[in-house]
Amino acid sequence: MSETSTPSNSRRLNKTQKLSFAAVATFGAAALAFSLVPGSAGEQTGTAINAAPVAWTKVVDGAQTKTVQAHLGVQQAVADKLAKDAAAEAKAAKAAKAKADAEAAAKKLRAEKEAASRSAARTPVFANNLDGWIKEALSIMKREGIPGTYEGIHRNIMRESSGNPMAINNWDINAQNGIPSKGLLQVILPTFKAYHVAGTKFDQYDPVANIVAACNYAADRYGSMDNVNSAY
């Protein structure tokens, strides 16, 4: 009996062993599949990625490449936008500066015109007659610090030339010496040259230049034209 039962037991053991081997193989396949999950699981085991099939590795690499390319594309788009924004800001700043410069130039021009207009308004216009000549001469004399009054100048003019700016003395000692007295206040040429005031015409017959030069001479010699009451 023992001999006949031995083969039967042996056969049962072989089946059991086969079932055990099959179970181990199935469990191993499941474990291998689980180990192929990407991410932290593979990093923890250190062997999962190495054990992955070639096809799986290609899929993972392709996904990574696409991700990197997408990331680079976003970076490029952001860089392009920043560059465009910077260019737009620079253009706007340049335009603003040009506008500010133009406004400043226009403001300066307006100020200069207004100043010129005020200056012109302050510049008196004198009549072209004896009254105007005396008043203009007095304005120049005031600027130059030459004393004299309207009354003193007018009195001496009427005595010397009767108000004629072209009057000339051809009979006195000056005329005999070749230097006749000329103009409203009958000034000889050497005196006119010596006491001529810059800013007036260099002409003995010019009424304003004649009055100013004569008053300058009278101030030097007599203190003022107001102190002259006869030939001087």
Side-chain angles (χ1 to χ4, degrees):
M1 292 292 290
S2 61
E3 292 180 358
T4 58
S5 62
T6 302
S8 176
N9 291 335
S10 176
R11 285 193 294 272
R12 284 197 296 271
L13 290 171
N14 289 337
K15 289 180 181 179
T16 301
Q17 290 172 350
K18 289 179 180 180
L19 291 173
S20 298
F21 292 152
V24 170
T26 302
F27 179 77
L32 178 61
F34 179 77
S35 67
L36 293 177
V37 177
S40 61
E43 293 175 357
Q44 292 174 356
T45 61
T47 60
I49 299 300
N50 293 332
V54 175
W56 175 261
T57 302
K58 289 182 178 180
V59 171
V60 172
D61 291 344
Q64 290 177 341
T65 301
K66 289 182 179 178
T67 301
V68 171
Q69 290 176 344
H71 183 65
L72 291 176
V74 171
Q75 286 185 327
Q76 185 62 46
V78 172
D80 291 344
K81 187 176 185 306
L82 290 175
K84 289 180 180 178
D85 291 345
E89 289 179 0
K91 184 178 181 181
K94 184 177 180 181
K97 185 178 183 302
K99 182 179 179 181
D101 290 344
E103 290 177 350
K107 184 178 180 180
K108 182 179 179 181
L109 182 61
R110 287 195 300 271
E112 290 175 350
K113 288 183 177 179
E114 290 173 359
S117 178
R118 288 193 298 269
S119 177
R122 288 195 300 267
T123 302
V125 178
F126 299 101
N128 188 27
N129 54 33
L130 181 58
D131 178 70
W133 300 332
I134 296 175
K135 289 179 179 178
E136 185 174 356
L138 284 169
S139 69
I140 296 171
M141 290 165 59
K142 182 179 180 180
R143 184 188 71 204
E144 298 294 331
I146 301 171
T149 64
Y150 185 99
E151 292 74 12
I153 293 171
H154 186 271
R155 183 183 70 250
N156 281 284
I157 286 175
M158 297 308 294
R159 186 188 67 252
E160 294 291 336
S161 64
S162 299
N164 178 12
M166 301 304 294
I168 182 172
N169 186 327
N170 289 316
W171 58 86
D172 66 5
I173 188 62
N174 291 320
Q176 295 174 18
N177 292 330
I179 48 172
S181 302
K182 298 179 180 179
L184 290 176
L185 285 170
Q186 294 292 285
V187 182
I188 61 175
L189 185 58
T191 301
F192 181 82
K193 287 181 178 180
Y195 291 94
H196 172 261
V197 174
T200 63
K201 293 181 179 179
F202 196 81
D203 179 2
Q204 282 178 269
Y205 288 113
D206 180 78
V208 175
N210 187 281
I211 293 172
V212 174
C215 287
N216 194 23
Y217 165 73
D220 185 41
R221 186 166 182 179
Y222 303 104
S224 171
M225 182 60 75
D226 295 350
N227 298 329
V228 178
N229 295 298
S230 62
Y232 61 106

